[in-house]
Amino acid sequence: MQSLLDPAILFFALGVFAGVVRSNLEMPSAISRFLSIYLLMALGLKGGFALAASGFTASVASSLGLAVLLAVVVPLAGFAVLRRMLSGFNAAAVAATYGSVSAVTFVTATQYLEAQHIAYGGYMAAAMALMESPAIILAVLLANALRQQQAAAAHPATVVGVAGSGAALLGAPGLGTAAPHRADHGGQPLSMGKILHESFTDGTQLLLLGAMVIGMATGDAGKAAMQPFSGDLFKGMLCLFLLDMGLATARNLPAVRQQSPWLLAYAVLGPISHATLALGLAWLLQVPAGDAVLLMVLAASASYIAVPAVVRYAIPEAHPSLYVSLSLGVTFPLNIVLGIPVYAQVVERVWGG
């Protein structure tokens, strides 16, 4: 109960309430953008300072390696489940959304751990960056394999004997490899190279990793110089950003009510399953407790910014209202209000026992 009285959580609740009662409270888009840039920059700096102090140890390697493994397993498992409820393209888009991560959920989790005096590695910011892109790339490969399947059904003589990695991802023999390009909404070809470029050079990742490198390079001297910016202001900025996220969540509630009960169940149970998988793997590898909590949070989170921005054009056959409403309207508030403290308590009991 004490975790619900955290100012950041209460400001999120205030934003939801303001949106539900249709208040005219709003956050200017330029300020929202500034807040997101600030949080990513501060988070990257903190991670860099922590890495400068600890170095790249076996514990760091195991945590980051586990993050990459989860980034591949979660979207593939999600696609296998969602394919039973949705069309292939919608299933790929939703699987990408839930296979990627939410930076705001991660930042909120780090603040919770600090408030509870639970140590974690600042390098986990790198884990978050590593987990963002694999799901997008896998979703694009799956979508391209589906298009090959459709083309094979329409023109079987033109694809006989062709097999490739995209078909293997779908588990369907005899399909071609991912198509070299397709047209986006503007009629321009959207190549796999373009998707990879957008995934790996996305501004959020670039800023996060760049700030982390700067933090590593400057070490203790940089930490002392940046403390008023990346330390003292951080909590207040997070509260403002969560207020804005509460307003955004409220705006997505009407779309949530239109979704199938099965999809709503997935938006709740899927993240819990992903977090449980992360818990088991972290326990097997003896990852530090604080890192284990953050891995659970990352595995359970869902992207509502980076993935929709790319998938909207990479998989135009999918419906954006579907994957955005589920991630922002259901999974995000569930993790912010209940998930983070529950994951921390579970890790405390398992690691403490």
Side-chain angles (χ1 to χ4, degrees), residues 192-248:
M192 177 58 71
K194 178 67 172 176
I195 295 298
L196 292 172
H197 179 269
E198 290 187 5
S199 297
F200 288 112
T201 62
D202 176 72
T204 58
Q205 290 211 68
L206 208 57
L207 176 60
L208 180 68
L209 294 176
M212 186 174 295
V213 170
I214 292 171
M216 290 177 61
T218 56
D220 289 340
K223 182 177 182 180
M226 296 300 292
Q227 176 59 29
F229 176 82
S230 60
D232 298 340
L233 292 176
F234 193 85
K235 186 74 170 185
M237 294 291 195
L238 178 61
C239 288
L240 276 175
F241 193 71
L242 285 176
L243 173 66
D244 186 41
M245 291 309 305
L247 291 167

Side-chain angles (χ1 to χ4, degrees), residues 248-290:
T249 298
R251 288 194 294 269
N252 276 273
L253 290 179
V256 170
R257 289 194 286 267
Q258 298 174 7
Q259 303 302 336
S260 158
W262 290 106
L263 284 177
L264 295 177
Y266 177 82
V268 174
L269 299 178
I272 294 174
S273 301
H274 304 158
T276 302
L277 173 63
L279 174 69
L281 292 173
W283 183 80
L284 286 174
L285 294 178
Q286 289 300 292
V287 169

Side-chain angles (χ1 to χ4, degrees), residues 308-322:
V310 177
V311 169
R312 177 185 175 189
Y313 295 103
I315 314 178
E317 299 91 339
H319 302 294
S321 61
L322 180 65

Side-chain angles (χ1 to χ4, degrees), residues 62-83:
S62 62
S63 294
L64 296 183
L66 183 50
V68 174
L69 177 63
L70 288 168
V72 174
V73 172
V74 168
L76 290 177
F79 180 79
V81 173
L82 290 162
R83 193 66 180 87

Side-chain angles (χ1 to χ4, degrees), residues 132-217:
E132 190 170 48
S133 296
I136 299 175
I137 296 168
L138 287 170
V140 173
L141 291 174
L142 290 166
N144 283 339
L146 284 167
R147 295 184 191 109
Q148 289 288 329
Q149 187 178 34
Q150 291 178 347
H155 308 286
T158 64
V159 293
V160 172
V162 180
S165 59
L169 285 171
L170 282 172
L175 303 184
T177 57
H181 65 79
R182 73 174 320 278
D184 65 15
H185 291 300
Q188 298 299 318
L190 190 67
S191 66
M192 177 58 71
K194 178 67 172 176
I195 295 298
L196 292 172
H197 179 269
E198 290 187 5
S199 297
F200 288 112
T201 62
D202 176 72
T204 58
Q205 290 211 68
L206 208 57
L207 176 60
L208 180 68
L209 294 176
M212 186 174 295
V213 170
I214 292 171
M216 290 177 61

